[in-house]
Amino acid sequence: MTHDWLLYIAAFSIAFGVCLLTTPTAKKIAKKLGAIDYPKSRGLNKEPMPLMGGLAIVAGFFAALIIVSPFLSNLPKRQFAGFIIGGILIVITGMFDDAYELSPKVKFSAQLAVALIVVLSGIRLDFVMYPLWEYLKGFSPILTVIWIIGIINAVNLIDGVDGLAAGVTSISSICLMILCITSSSGTELAVVLTAALAGSCLGFLPRNFSPAEIYMGDTGSTFLGYVLGVSSCIGVFKSYAILSIVIAVLAMALPILDTAFAIIRRAANHKPIMMADRGHLHHRLIDSGYSHRQAVIILYGLSAVSAVVAILIAVQDYRATIVVAIFFMILIVMLYTYRKRLNQDDDKK
């Protein structure tokens, strides 16, 4: 498939510009609706912070789609309509949650409904994994629902530090975009979705990076997870056959692994899975002495490395993959040693 680079650049640029310009408006709307995050024991903010910054992300994203979608060739109209309807519903749910704090059951029910709409529109997980996939193919709709709900909550859970969710999602979406472009079966729609998502996230970061002026709230974080989950279904999982699971997980490694560890941790401590705590990776980094910015930059680095490994595996450059993996291990050792020495110096003072 030939790619229209101007189309992709336009989607990214429109989303970036609209989000950047509408963030102050989202801040005003949040204050009028009373969507404010007040300081709490588990949180990191020390003063009230307006939520619903995700409205600017949504505005940038949909502005890009409205302008660019008429120029897409072979646009799957049914799937596109399902994606739009699901996106609108997840945003409305997020807005109500930011303003009124919905119960976990209500939020999960809304996410389930959204995932079902996407599946009924024809979007499914589809990859080749002989002989396993031949037996699981009939469960594709169920697996798709689980995947979408899982990614929605994964991104939502990492939204605990200024700029973390927006930055990590930017890295993941750029990675998915590159994977779709390099694949022979990549679709224009998948590339446009990921390009627009990256643009809107980066447009939000100037006012969300530490010290933040506004939070994206569930309005933004659940929408980001929704777009990542759906775009990976129509992009990565249709492109790389047996490697698709590994590549998709690596492309979104931080939110997926952090969520997996959170589930295991809460189950081991006999606590509700949906119960919030301070055991997430960003909390641990900050509690160990790193500043908010340092913790976020470290996690950006981890996300970027896993994304690069995903791309290298996709293009089957195994030598380069080994080099990156070695560099990644060295980086971890260096960070650990650096932190240990800092603690020793502090103890001496």
Side-chain angles (χ1 to χ4, degrees), residues 90 94-95 97-98 107 156 159 216-223:
I90 201 70
M95 290 177 65
D97 187 39
D98 288 337
K107 289 191 287 186
N156 181 243
D159 185 29
M216 67 172 65
D218 274 24
T219 305
S221 61
T222 55
F223 179 73

Side-chain angles (χ1 to χ4, degrees), residues 25-36 50-53 214:
T25 303
K27 187 175 180 179
K28 293 178 181 178
I29 294 174
K31 290 180 178 179
K32 286 184 178 181
L33 295 178
I36 306 296
L51 295 168
M52 282 195 195
I214 185 172

Side-chain angles (χ1 to χ4, degrees), residues 228-250:
L228 282 178
V230 176
S231 59
S232 61
C233 287
I234 63 177
V236 176
F237 283 109
K238 292 185 180 297
S239 306
Y240 291 100
I242 195 169
L243 291 175
S244 58
I245 296 178
V246 175
I247 291 170
V249 170
L250 283 172

Side-chain angles (χ1 to χ4, degrees), residues 90-299:
I90 201 70
V91 170
I92 293 173
T93 303
M95 290 177 65
F96 273 97
D97 187 39
D98 288 337
Y100 304 109
E101 295 188 15
L102 301 177
S103 68
K105 289 183 179 180
V106 172
K107 289 191 287 186
F108 178 78
S109 298
Q111 292 169 8
L112 178 60
V114 166
L116 287 174
I117 289 172
V118 171
V119 169
L120 291 173
S121 72
I123 297 174
R124 308 280 174 86
L125 287 178
D126 185 17
F127 51 89
V128 180
M129 185 180 286
Y130 296 110
L132 183 60
W133 184 241
E134 291 303 305
Y135 297 101
L136 294 177
K137 203 166 187 178
F139 297 96
S140 178
I142 298 174
L143 294 175
T144 306
V145 168
I146 294 172
W147 174 259
I148 293 173
I149 293 176
I151 299 301
I152 288 173
N153 287 283
V155 177
N156 181 243
L157 287 175
I158 67 166
D159 185 29
V161 187
D162 299 352
L164 181 58
V168 169
T169 301
S170 300
I171 295 168
S172 297
S173 55
I174 290 171
C175 176
L176 290 175
M177 180 180 67
I178 294 172
L179 290 171
C180 292
I181 291 174
T182 56
S183 168
S184 58
S185 58
T187 64
E188 277 190 330
L189 178 59
V191 180
V192 166
L193 292 180
T194 50
L197 185 63
S200 52
C201 285
L202 290 174
F204 184 66
L205 266 180
R207 293 181 183 272
N208 183 240
F209 194 74
S210 182
E213 299 178 24
I214 185 172
Y215 290 162
M216 67 172 65
D218 274 24
T219 305
S221 61
T222 55
F223 179 73
L224 298 185
Y226 170 77
V227 178
L228 282 178
V230 176
S231 59
S232 61
C233 287
I234 63 177
V236 176
F237 283 109
K238 292 185 180 297
S239 306
Y240 291 100
I242 195 169
L243 291 175
S244 58
I245 296 178
V246 175
I247 291 170
V249 170
L250 283 172
M252 298 172 279
L254 181 63
I256 291 175
L257 294 179
D258 188 58
T259 301
F261 291 144
I263 293 173
I264 294 171
R265 180 177 65 250
R266 292 166 188 173
N269 294 326
H270 305 289
K271 294 182 179 180
I273 292 177
M274 299 299 290
M275 181 180 177
D277 59 23
R278 281 186 62 88
H280 294 287
L281 185 54
H282 52 270
H283 287 134
R284 291 180 179 274
L285 286 171
I286 292 172
D287 291 343
S288 67
Y290 289 100
S291 68
H292 287 203
R293 287 193 176 193
Q294 289 172 334
V296 169
I297 290 173
I298 289 172
L299 295 176

